[in-house]
């Protein structure tokens, strides 16, 4: 099938894109990588009347690594994945990118686009939640910053209004000594996750856990931060038993309500969640 | 709403100027407007890989790009891969030598990805090869001969 007709606007500045969005509102969709949007348009599951192409806006193509990881809306996933500086300041983002689709799709897909689109089984929204990333939205009414865990509201839904464009996502620098871990269960490499976990860990001088974050994909209709499980880990030492218990706790954590569908039952997903949390924590502690 | 837009792009080192509807996919521009039917369309979802072309040197899904987005770019398709004297490229020859194609539907997409990959990573590990090939589906060969072809081409060297 082919896409329905639309008006095409190629913006050359963020202000121009915002003005077009203000004019067309919910008739318009932003076109960045297009690796999620265009398949939907090809199937006519999406029929935007206007496409606002932001790929040629120079200021949105900026990837900054001097203070955490700041990714503009037009930055390709491949460029972040292959950036040594990005790997140094945000290893969890770079590691997760290796699991996002395939290299050919990452050549066009954008980090910001994956987060703005919000498929809850995608890797990057979960990583944004694990790292308390900040999502910057702009419109003719000004700009605002929303924390990742507040940004996602449901399947393909976020707090972004019809006239707002996500211009960048900022992953704050990890404090010294923080390590990260990632684990995904999928049918094949590159598939959306069935479940996945992204974690951060910090140990204090006595070798006990002083800080941790645990985020899940596939546990609900948005990334889930297992804050209760995080609390149980504080003061613990790194042992296989501690990771196993944390996994079991996360599988039943508040907010963890995995669906039952053709991929498996809710209980099956809970057992997978226990596994990926245990696995991600063990990797972070290595 | 669907007014045509003038674009200029280079396809296989030849400048082309066309007037296109915004909704025309790059895959359809190549196949129907330029007659370059070596690029195939299998899914229009970006999953199968058979539409893969090079956009400014990078393998991308032509079914997920609108032709208007290719304005000012260099597009490489399978028709531009063989050498000037029409001899097969190293990768193409390796496919032939290793029986890495049967029906051929997936082949042009694989070749485009591999041509770019071996220039970027001349001495790849098996894991790197599988990561790149993972972006393509083949229903005929079972992939083993394709992997062998990539190793053979890497061994021989694809040049620049």
């Amino acid at each position: 099938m082919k896409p329905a007709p639309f008006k095409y606007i190629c913006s050359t500045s963020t202000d121009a894109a915002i003005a077009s969005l203000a004019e067309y509102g919910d008739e318009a969709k932003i076109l960045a990588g297009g690796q999620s949007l265009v398949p939907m348009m090809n199937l006519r599951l999406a029929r935007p009347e206007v496409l606002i192409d932001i790929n040629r806006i120079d200021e949105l193509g900026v990837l900054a690594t001097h203070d955490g990881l700041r990714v503009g809306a037009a930055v390709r996933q491949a460029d972040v994945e292959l950036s040594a500086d990005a790997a140094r300041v945000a290893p969890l983002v770079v590691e997760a990118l290796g699991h996002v689709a395939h290299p050919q799709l990452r050549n066009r897909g954008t980090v910001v686009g994956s987060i703005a689109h919000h498929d809850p089984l995608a890797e990057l929204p979960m990583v944004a939640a694990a790292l308390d990333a900040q999502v910057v939205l702009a419109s003719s009414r000004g700009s605002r910053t929303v924390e990742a865990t507040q940004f996602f509201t449901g399947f393909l839904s976020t707090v972004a209004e019809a006239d707002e464009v996500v211009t960048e996502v900022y992953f704050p620098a990890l404090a010294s000594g923080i390590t990260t871990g990632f684990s995904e269960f999928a049918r094949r490499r590159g598939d959306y996750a069935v479940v996945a976990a992204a974690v951060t860990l910090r140990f204090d001088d006595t070798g006990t856990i002083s800080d941790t974050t645990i985020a899940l994909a596939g546990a609900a209709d948005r990334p889930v931060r297992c804050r209760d499980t995080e609390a149980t880990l504080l003061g613990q030492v790194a042992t296989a038993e501690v990771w196993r218990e944390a996994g079991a706790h996360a599988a039943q954590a508040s907010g963890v309500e995995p669906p039952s569908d053709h991929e498996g039952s809710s209980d099956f997903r809970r057992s997978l969640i226990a596994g990926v949390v245990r696995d991600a924590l063990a990797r972070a502690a290595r | 709403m669907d007014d045509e837009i003038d674009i200029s792009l280079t396809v296989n080192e030849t400048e082309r100027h066309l007037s296109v509807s915004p909704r025309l996919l790059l895959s359809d521009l190549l196949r129907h407007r330029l007659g370059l039917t070596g690029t195939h369309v299998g899914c229009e979802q970006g999953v199968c890989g058979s539409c893969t072309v090079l956009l400014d040197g990078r393998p991308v899904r032509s079914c997920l790009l609108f032709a208007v987005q290719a304005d000012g770019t260099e597009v490489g398709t399978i028709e531009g891969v063989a050498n000037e004297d029409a001899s097969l490229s190293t990768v193409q020859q390796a496919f032939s030598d290793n029986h890495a194609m049967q029906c051929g539907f997936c082949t042009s997409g694989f070749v485009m990805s591999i041509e770019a990959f071996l220039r970027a990573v001349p001495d790849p590990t098996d894991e790197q090869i599988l990561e790149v090939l993972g972006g393509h589906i083949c229903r005929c060969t079972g992939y083993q001969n394709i992997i062998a072809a990539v190793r053979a081409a890497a061994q021989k060297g694809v040049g620049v």
Side-chain angles (χ1 to χ4, degrees):
Chain A
M1 203 147 38
K2 305 297 175 184
F6 56 86
K7 180 181 173 66
Y8 172 78
I9 298 171
C10 188
S11 301
T12 51
S13 72
T14 311
D15 286 343
I18 284 168
S20 294
L21 262 182
E23 183 178 349
Y24 292 104
D26 58 15
E27 293 177 348
K29 284 290 287 180
I30 296 290
L31 176 64
Q35 306 299 277
S36 295
L37 177 62
V38 182
M40 292 171 73
M41 291 178 68
N42 285 345
L43 279 177
R44 298 203 177 188
L45 293 175
R47 300 176 62 138
E49 289 164 58
V50 180
L51 276 195
I52 300 168
D53 186 338
I54 62 168
N55 290 288
R56 309 226 184 196
I57 300 175
D58 288 340
E59 69 222 23
L60 296 184
V62 175
L63 172 68
T65 56
H66 56 272
D67 165 30
L69 179 69
R70 205 173 277 279
V71 189
V75 175
R76 306 293 170 204
Q77 291 166 352
D79 290 336
V80 178
E81 185 191 355
L82 298 173
S83 158
D85 289 330
R88 182 177 43 82
V89 306
L92 193 51
V93 174
V94 171
E95 183 175 1
L97 279 168
H99 293 262
V100 174
H102 300 285
Q104 297 83 357
L105 292 149
R106 300 198 290 270
N107 280 337
R108 284 301 292 182
T110 61
V111 169
V112 171
S114 176
I115 288 165
H117 177 67
H118 183 219
D119 188 313
L121 297 181
E123 293 80 2
L124 291 174
M126 169 187 70
V127 168
L131 296 177
D132 290 317
Q134 292 172 20
V135 181
V136 181
L137 299 116
S139 71
S140 58
R141 297 170 283 116
S143 94
R144 61 181 177 132
T145 301
V146 178
E147 209 177 271
T149 52
Q150 308 298 315
F151 178 71
F152 306 111
T153 57
F155 178 68
L156 304 189
S157 297
T158 69
V159 300
E161 304 279 356
D163 67 340
E164 284 183 308
V165 56
V166 181
T167 54
E168 79 172 38
V169 175
Y170 172 56
F171 300 88
L174 294 172
S176 150
I178 291 191
T179 59
T180 60
F182 178 93
S183 182
E184 173 168 331
F185 181 91
R187 282 176 170 267
R188 296 162 302 190
R189 171 89 168 191
D191 282 359
Y192 284 103
V194 176
V195 300
V199 306
T200 67
L201 270 182
R202 178 157 54 166
F203 296 90
D204 65 20
D205 298 332
T206 70
T208 62
I209 296 167
S210 60
D211 206 0
T212 178
T213 65
I214 300 172
L216 299 177
D221 66 350
R222 66 199 77 183
V224 175
R225 275 282 296 273
C226 301
R227 299 189 193 271
D228 295 345
T229 311
E230 293 168 7
T232 68
L233 280 172
L234 299 178
Q236 303 247 40
V237 294
T239 70
E241 184 56 23
V242 166
W243 305 145
R244 196 199 61 76
E245 279 175 7
H249 191 281
Q252 307 297 331
S254 156
V256 173
E257 288 156 7
S260 286
D261 63 20
H262 62 282
E263 286 287 0
S265 69
S266 181
D267 282 348
F268 175 61
R269 282 184 161 84
R270 286 185 194 273
S271 69
L272 290 177
I273 286 166
V276 293
V277 168
R278 182 197 66 222
D279 194 38
L281 288 167
R283 286 166 185 272
R286 266 211 293 256
Chain B
M1 165 200 281
D2 197 28
D3 290 342
E4 298 218 326
I5 296 175
D6 292 331
I7 62 170
S8 298
L9 66 161
T10 306
V11 182
N12 299 330
E13 299 179 358
T14 302
E15 260 197 50
R16 310 297 299 238
H17 306 278
L18 302 109
S19 203
V20 298
S21 162
R23 70 189 186 118
L24 180 70
L25 299 172
L26 179 61
S27 46
D28 290 330
L29 176 129
L30 294 169
R31 291 172 52 78
H32 299 290
R33 298 288 294 272
L34 299 182
L36 299 171
T37 54
T39 299
H40 300 147
V41 174
C43 72
E44 281 180 339
Q45 296 289 293
V47 176
C48 75
S50 62
C51 74
T52 304
V53 299
L54 301 186
L55 186 79
D56 292 333
R58 292 189 169 195
V60 297
R61 306 302 202 211
S62 61
C63 75
L64 299 187
L65 269 163
F66 296 108
V68 289
Q69 294 183 276
D71 182 38
T73 69
E74 292 185 10
V75 176
T77 74
I78 191 67
E79 287 87 351
V81 168
N83 298 316
E84 293 239 342
D85 63 357
S87 59
L88 298 178
S89 76
T90 304
V91 173
Q92 290 173 314
Q93 189 62 51
F95 264 63
S96 175
D97 295 342
N98 289 276
H99 194 41
M101 55 186 282
Q102 292 183 28
C103 81
F105 193 86
C106 70
T107 306
S108 46
F110 267 107
V111 169
M112 299 319 292
S113 274
I114 295 161
E115 291 279 356
F117 170 60
L118 290 180
R119 279 165 181 80
V121 187
D123 188 20
T125 63
D126 283 352
E127 197 181 324
Q128 288 172 313
I129 292 173
L130 291 180
E131 179 72 12
V132 169
L133 299 187
H136 292 269
I137 296 176
C138 172
R139 291 296 282 129
C140 295
T141 66
Y143 303 98
Q144 300 309 307
N145 289 351
I146 297 174
I147 296 166
V150 176
R151 290 206 192 100
Q155 184 92 349
K156 188 126 191 279
V158 299
V160 293

